[in-house]
Amino acid sequence: MRWLPLFCLAFAAGCSEETGRPPTAPSAPVTDPTPAPVTLTSVEVGTVGNSPATLYPGETKQLWAVATYSDARSSDITNVALWQSSNPTVATVSSGGQLSAAIEGTIDVVATYKGVQGALHADVRKLGCEATTLSPVALIFGSFGGSSNVLVTTPVSDC
């Protein structure tokens, strides 16, 4: 059997001297050919700039909605979600996510996309003393004291 080593070298594979045949290749592991479907797992709602969800009557704020999927991917769904206000008398929300405050109260704004909801709680407060401004906003005096004038501006007269 002198031809066996030459035959095996010619095919660049080792042969077994017992069988005279090249070894068989290992079989590939069996995998499920059907990947798991990607599903929508959550909807998150917030304000542009992540500002507080507090408005005054007549004020508007732009909201956003983001969908997250089971494969960890996310996408902006602001313009395709269905928007609803829990109390349209207090505030309404447009189809593009713009929240418009009307009167004092609290609401929940819900964005729904493919049956999954996300919500944001918002407060509409009447304009009060928290909007008071000072000019200048800061004064610095030396160790011997000093004097200056400060202008206080309030939105309502009883602050």
Side-chain angles (χ1 to χ4, degrees), residues 41-139:
T41 57
S42 66
V43 171
E44 184 180 359
V45 178
T47 60
V48 169
N50 294 321
S51 62
T54 302
L55 296 93
Y56 302 109
E59 185 179 16
T60 62
K61 278 200 182 195
Q62 180 62 49
L63 305 180
W64 51 259
V66 172
T68 302
Y69 298 89
S70 58
D71 63 356
R73 188 175 43 93
S74 62
S75 64
D76 182 345
I77 57 165
T78 302
N79 292 320
V80 294
L82 173 64
W83 292 93
Q84 292 177 309
S85 167
S86 64
N87 189 345
T89 303
V90 173
T92 58
V93 62
S94 73
S95 61
Q98 180 146 338
L99 183 62
S100 299
I103 63 170
E104 192 173 4
T106 62
I107 60 162
D108 291 308
V109 179
V110 177
T112 304
Y113 181 67
K114 294 186 177 180
V116 178
Q117 294 182 337
L120 174 74
H121 183 78
D123 293 311
V124 179
R125 297 182 183 159
K126 79 175 183 182
L127 197 56
C129 297
E130 64 270 2
T132 299
T133 60
L134 298 175
S135 180
V137 293
L139 293 172

Side-chain angles (χ1 to χ4, degrees), residues 140-147:
I140 299 173
F141 295 100
S143 58
F144 296 107
S147 66

Side-chain angles (χ1 to χ4, degrees), residues 3-27:
W3 59 271
L4 183 63
L6 291 175
F7 172 78
C8 292
L9 284 176
F11 290 102
C15 293
S16 165
E17 288 193 26
E18 296 149 6
T19 63
R21 289 181 273 149
T24 58
S27 60

